[in-house]
């Protein structure tokens, strides 16, 4: 499962809360993130966040390289071992940030994501939706990628909502202005529904 949303939406808190809940229930789970879920990825993450100037296309290929490595070295083997993977940002961030917000062709990004992810898609993607003003206030880290204009983040928010509309089976949109406890309970409920639906089918 993956967690998406604006910077500052609280998705990392939800992802780690859910990972602990699953572990408590005896369900093995791995919490990971993009960019930065592998040794190569940590290097890529530093390049992306540390203020090195680069073109949007260079940036895109760095995110994809991070994802490709993460998928083949971590996510795929972990799923094959029967462990639930919780990934803080994944392929949808590329479609939304590099596509909706930076203007790279969305179909091209979808195709590149198929290569980087080996065609594996999350069973469920939680979108932590919140208004841009609040998200901006919550942003504590002003790294290179986390300091864009308000209109950039408006495009990001609209992009996530459009993607969630486009594939409602996979996305679960949560109101990120709720407390961390409420969000965790809502996400657990959603997972329980999914589990029941699967058991019935
Ligand atoms: P990070 O510090 O992980 O942000 P957050 O805590 O908000 O998740 O920084 C990741 C930044 O990279 C974030 O601004 C979103 C951006 N990003 C992309 O532009 N494309 C991508 O494919 C991914 C995975 C992230």
């Amino acid at each position: 499962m993956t967690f998406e949303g604006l910077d500052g939406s609280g998705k990392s808190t939800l992802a780690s809360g859910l990972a602990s809940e699953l572990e408590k229930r005896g369900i093995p789970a791995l919490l990971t993130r993009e960019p930065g879920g592998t040794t190569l990825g940590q290097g890529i993450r530093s390049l992306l966040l540390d203020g090195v100037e680069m073109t949007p296309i260079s940036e895109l290929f760095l995110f994809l390289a991070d994802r490709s490595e993460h998928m083949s070295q971590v996510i795929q083997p972990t799923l094959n071992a029967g462990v639930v993977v919780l990934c803080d940002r994944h392929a949808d961030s590329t479609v939304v940030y590099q596509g909706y917000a930076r203007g790279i062709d969305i179909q091209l990004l979808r195709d590149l994501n198929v290569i980087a992810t080996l065609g594996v898609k999350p069973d469920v993607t939680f979108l932590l939706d919140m208004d841009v003003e609040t998200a901006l206030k919550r942003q504590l880290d002003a790294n290179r990628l986390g300091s864009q204009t308000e209109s950039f983040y408006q495009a990001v928010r609209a992009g996530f909502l459009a993607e969630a509309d486009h594939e409602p089976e996979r996305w679960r949109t949560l109101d990120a202005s709720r407390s961390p406890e409420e969000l965790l309970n809502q996400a657990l409920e959603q997972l329980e529904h999914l589990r029941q639906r699967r058991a019935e089918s």
Side-chain angles (χ1 to χ4, degrees):
M1 75 184 83
T2 58
F3 299 81
E4 301 281 3
L6 284 172
D7 315 58
S9 62
K11 63 187 168 35
S12 309
T13 307
L14 176 63
S16 67
L18 263 186
S20 321
E21 277 301 319
L22 293 177
E23 290 283 356
K24 270 191 218 156
R25 294 163 195 215
I27 301 166
L30 173 80
L31 174 62
T32 184
R33 70 168 174 184
E34 292 183 7
T38 60
T39 307
L40 177 71
Q42 280 161 22
I44 292 175
R45 185 180 173 87
S46 305
L47 284 172
L48 283 163
L49 301 186
D50 285 356
V52 180
E53 279 306 312
M54 64 184 81
T55 66
I57 299 291
S58 305
E59 188 181 273
L60 166 66
F61 281 111
L62 287 178
F63 282 118
L64 291 168
D66 168 75
R67 182 157 308 126
S68 169
E69 189 73 10
H70 194 208
M71 203 62 187
S72 60
Q73 301 303 314
V74 177
I75 298 185
Q76 182 79 286
T78 306
L79 291 173
N80 288 346
V83 174
V84 176
V85 175
L86 299 96
C87 192
D88 187 351
R89 293 199 186 281
H90 187 60
D92 299 304
S93 276
T94 301
V95 172
V96 168
Y97 282 78
Q98 279 62 57
Y100 287 86
R102 290 236 188 267
I104 300 175
D105 183 75
I106 286 174
Q107 189 53 50
L108 173 66
L109 295 173
R110 293 196 203 287
D111 293 344
L112 290 169
N113 265 335
V114 172
I115 299 174
T117 61
L118 309 169
V120 177
K121 274 201 165 190
D123 296 333
V124 55
T125 297
F126 288 105
L127 170 59
L128 279 95
D129 179 52
M130 76 187 317
D131 67 81
V132 169
E133 215 174 276
T134 317
L136 282 174
K137 277 193 204 133
R138 280 205 201 170
Q139 263 185 46
L140 300 173
D141 57 333
N143 58 44
R144 191 183 71 86
L145 291 174
S147 49
Q148 306 294 331
T149 60
E150 187 168 338
S151 66
F152 179 91
Y153 290 117
Q154 295 289 5
V156 168
R157 183 187 189 195
F160 276 129
L161 290 171
E163 286 299 291
D165 257 8
H166 180 76
E167 229 183 318
E169 274 300 296
R170 172 163 69 89
W171 290 80
R172 294 289 175 278
T173 303
L174 301 174
D175 174 358
S177 67
R178 299 301 175 107
S179 71
E181 296 73 32
E182 276 177 296
L183 286 170
L184 182 58
N185 286 332
Q186 285 177 359
L188 284 166
E189 263 172 40
Q190 299 278 5
L191 291 179
E192 183 53 26
H193 283 159
L194 274 179
R195 198 191 59 76
Q196 279 174 10
R197 267 227 316 249
R198 286 215 183 130
E200 284 160 17
S201 63

